[in-house]
Amino acid sequence: MTKGGGKKENAMWGGRFTAGPAAIMEEINASIDVDRRLWREDVAGSKAHAHMLAAVGVISDGDNTAIQKGLDQIAGEIERGEFKFSAALEDIHMNIEARLKEIAGEAAGRLHTARSRNDQVATDFRMWVREACDNAEVALEDLMRALAEKAAPNADAVMPGFTHLQTAQPVTFGHHLLAYVEMFSRDASRFADARARMNENPLGAAALAGTAFPIDRNATSKALGFDQPCANSLDAVSSRDFALEAMAAASITATHLSRLAEEIVLWASPHFGFVNLSDAFSTGSSIMPQKRNPDAAELTRAKAGRIIASLNNLLIVMKGLPLAYSKDMQEDKAATFECFDALGLALAAMAGMVRDLTPDRDAMKKAAGLGFSTATDLADWLVRELNMPFRDAHHATGAVVAVASERGVDIADLPLEEMQKIEPRITKEIFSVLSVDASVASRTSFGGSAPVNVAREAKCWLEKLKMENS
Ligand code: ARG
C-alpha cells in the first residue's frame, strides 16, 4: 500500500472516501504553508458570508452569532501565534473551518452553505492582491517623494547626459532624478488601474455555477469593499488576470527600479564618482578594506528577476487551463506573494538609498564637460546665428571637434582662429554657449533640462506629493 494511504479519510469530504491520501498526495496537495497568509481575508470573507446567510434567512441568527464569535476567536489565535496549522487540512480555508467546528460545533458546518472553496479562495486572493496594489502605490509615492526631494536642491547640478552610455549632452542631476519620478508615477497609476478593474466580488459564484440559495451578493460585496459582484460565476472562479495584471505592473516597476539601481551602481563606482552612498546602504568587503559596495542597489536590480519570473510563472500556470477551477491555480499564490514581497523590499530599499545618497556636484560637473558634450550647442549656434542648415552645422562642428580632439583640448578651449579656419563667420560669441552651465541653461523647451524647468517640476511634484518644497 502506498505510504500514508491507510489514514483516516478527510473530514471535509469523507462521505465519498474510504481511505485517506497517500503521504505524497498530502504533500503535493497542501498549500497551507503558503496560503496561511490569507487568514485575515479568509476570516473577513467568512464573516461577511455568514452575516449575509443570516440576513437572507439561510442560517439562523443564533448560528451566525456562533460563527462570528468563533471566527473572531480564531483570528485572535492566529494573531497570537497559537493556531495549529495542519497540512492534512490542506489549506487555510479548511484549517479555519475545522477549528471553527471545534469551537462552534454544528453552526460551523452551516457556514459553507452556498459557497465553495473555489469562490472563497478567489475572493480571499483578490482582497490580498488589492491590498498589495494599495501598498505598492504608497511605497511608490514615498520613493517619488525621496527622488523629488533630492531633485529640488540639485535642479542646477550639471551632470553628463548619456546615450549609448557615451557622453551626449549635459543635463542636471535633478532632471535625471525627475525622469524616474515620471516613470514611477505611471507605475503607481498602473496599480490603481489594476485595482479598479479587479475590485469585483467572486463570492457567491460557489463552485462554478452559482447557487440555488437566495444569497445577496451585493451585501457581501459591500461588506468586503468590492464595487460589485462578478457578473459571471464561471469567470469569477476561473480568472486570475487580476493577479497577472498586478504582477505586470510590478514587473514594469521592477524594470524601472533595476535601471535606477544600475545607475546608482555606476554612479557610486570611483570611476564615475557621481554619488556617495551612506554607510546605512553600503556594505564593506571582508578582504578589501577600501571597498564600499552598493549591495542594496545590486539586490534591487536582481529582485527584478524574481518579480518578472513570478509574472511568467503565473502566466504559464494559467495558459491553456479550461474553465472553471483547476487545482493548478493553487500555485497562483506562491508566485504572487514572492512577487510582492520582492517588490516591497526593492521599493523601500530604493527610497532609503535615494534619501541617503549625496551627489558630488563637482565630480559630476567635471565629467559633464568631457567628451565634447557641448558640441550640439556649437552646431545650434551656427544654425541660429549664421542661418546654416543644421546638417551643414553638424558637419562643421564635427570638424571643430576633430581639431580639438587632435589637440587634446575641449572645444571651449580651442582658439577662435582654429574654429574660423573651419567656418570663417564664427565670432567670439560662440564661447558663450560652450560651457556646460550655458548648455543646460539653454534647454528651456518644455520638458527640457534647464535648471529653471527642473526646479519648477521638482516643486510641482513635491506639492503633488503633499510635501514642503525643499
Ligand atoms: N487551496 C485551493 C487553492 O488555493 C483552494 C481551492 C480548492 N478548490 C478545489 N476545488 N479543490 O486553489
Side-chain angles (χ1 to χ4, degrees):
M1 186 194 284
T2 315
K3 201 162 152 258
K7 262 200 252 166
K8 193 160 84 45
E9 77 277 5
N10 185 306
M12 297 293 169
W13 51 70
R16 173 79 173 74
F17 285 66
T18 48
I24 198 71
M25 175 61 204
E26 188 174 299
E27 197 175 333
I28 195 174
N29 202 36
S31 56
I32 187 62
D33 283 346
V34 173
D35 62 27
R36 58 202 282 173
R37 285 176 68 171
L38 293 176
W39 70 266
R40 277 194 188 79
E41 291 78 7
D42 199 67
V43 167
S46 290
K47 291 185 67 138
H49 185 64
H51 271 313
M52 180 277 291
L53 290 179
V56 299
V58 172
I59 64 172
S60 69
D61 286 341
D63 282 345
N64 181 33
T65 307
I67 289 169
Q68 299 297 334
K69 273 181 59 187
L71 288 169
D72 287 339
Q73 181 182 326
I74 290 168
E77 288 171 2
I78 299 176
E79 190 102 61
R80 292 189 298 275
E82 292 164 11
F83 192 92
K84 292 222 176 353
F85 292 101
S86 147
L89 288 166
E90 194 179 320
D91 59 23
I92 186 64
H93 323 293
M94 297 208 291
N95 268 268
I96 290 180
E97 197 184 321
R99 176 74 185 122
L100 187 65
K101 186 148 189 272
E102 287 171 6
I103 299 169
E106 199 187 281
R110 299 190 191 281
L111 171 61
H112 214 53
T113 316
R115 173 177 94 164
S116 148
R117 272 187 302 153
N118 296 351
D119 59 339
Q120 191 178 355
V121 72
T123 306
D124 295 358
F125 191 38
R126 256 188 219 233
M127 289 197 283
W128 192 93
V129 176
R130 181 176 71 183
E131 195 179 337
C133 287
D134 291 345
N135 293 341
E137 252 195 275
V138 170
L140 275 163
E141 274 163 22
D142 187 53
L143 174 56
M144 288 162 68
R145 202 172 290 126
L147 286 162
E149 280 164 359
K150 197 61 71 177
N154 291 296
D156 60 348
V158 178
M159 73 179 282
F162 300 97
T163 58
H164 315 268
L165 203 57
Q166 303 288 318
T167 305
Q169 295 172 347
V171 295
T172 77
F173 190 57
H175 197 50
H176 200 118
L177 296 183
L178 291 184
Y180 282 102
V181 174
E182 297 286 337
M183 295 177 228
F184 291 131
S185 83
R186 289 193 297 276
D187 293 335
S189 76
R190 266 183 277 273
F191 281 111
D193 288 351
R195 184 205 205 280
R197 222 179 330 276
M198 80 179 62
N199 203 26
E200 292 186 344
N201 182 16
L203 195 60
L208 75 166
T211 173
F213 291 99
I215 58 170
D216 180 354
R217 296 191 61 205
N218 288 317
T220 52
S221 300
K222 192 157 174 260
L224 299 172
F226 288 108
D227 297 330
Q228 65 218 23
C230 297
N232 181 297
S233 60
L234 289 168
D235 173 48
V237 292
S238 328
S239 294
R240 294 294 183 270
D241 55 298
F242 62 89
L244 291 172
E245 192 176 2
M247 285 201 274
S251 296
I252 297 172
T253 305
T255 304
H256 293 156
L257 282 169
S258 75
R259 296 181 75 174
L260 178 53
E262 165 68 5
E263 298 205 297
I264 290 176
V265 170
L266 287 173
W267 293 342
S269 136
H271 303 284
F272 277 74
F274 291 179
V275 301
N276 289 305
L277 293 180
S278 69
D279 287 355
F281 282 96
S282 307
T283 58
S285 157
S286 53
I287 179 170
M288 297 167 282
Q290 86 284 8
K291 288 293 281 292
R292 284 173 67 80
N293 295 327
D295 290 31
E298 295 166 88
L299 288 165
T300 299
R301 187 172 59 184
K303 293 288 181 205
R306 270 181 200 258
I307 292 165
I308 295 164
S310 307
L311 168 62
N312 280 309
N313 179 339
L314 187 56
L315 281 169
I316 295 164
V317 167
M318 294 307 296
K319 87 161 265 305
L321 282 188
L323 304 191
Y325 179 84
S326 295
K327 192 73 172 212
D328 311 46
M329 289 157 70
Q330 176 165 285
E331 297 281 316
D332 56 2
K333 286 166 284 299
T336 309
F337 292 164
E338 173 161 45
C339 174
F340 281 95
D341 287 347
L343 183 71
L345 263 177
L347 283 168
M350 185 55 85
M353 263 185 290
V354 168
R355 283 211 163 85
D356 270 19
L357 65 76
T358 318
D360 185 335
R361 295 173 59 115
D362 293 338
M364 288 195 291
K365 187 161 177 178
K366 209 161 142 217
L370 301 177
F372 311 108
S373 65
T374 58
T376 315
D377 298 273
L378 194 154
D380 286 351
W381 186 91
L382 300 176
V383 169
R384 223 173 26 245
E385 303 299 325
L386 307 181
N387 201 24
M388 278 173 84
F390 183 77
R391 281 286 156 242
D392 297 347
H394 184 283
H395 189 79
T397 304
V400 172
V401 168
V403 174
S405 173
E406 208 170 284
R407 289 183 161 227
V409 297
D410 187 45
I411 48 177
D413 301 321
L414 265 189
L416 180 60
E417 308 83 66
E418 286 294 336
M419 294 196 209
Q420 286 171 334
K421 278 189 202 153
I422 292 159
E423 171 48 63
R425 290 173 295 165
I426 293 180
T427 69
K428 66 177 189 337
E429 299 309 319
I430 190 76
F431 293 104
S432 69
V433 301
L434 296 184
S435 75
V436 290
D437 283 307
S439 174
V440 291
S442 72
R443 299 287 195 272
T444 52
S445 58
F446 181 79
S449 66
V452 280
N453 281 4
V454 179
R456 191 184 54 235
E457 282 299 303
K459 190 167 167 229
C460 186
W461 273 117
L462 287 169
E463 269 159 20
K464 229 186 273 182
L465 295 161
K466 292 199 188 70
M467 282 288 299
E468 295 288 337
N469 187 13
S470 40

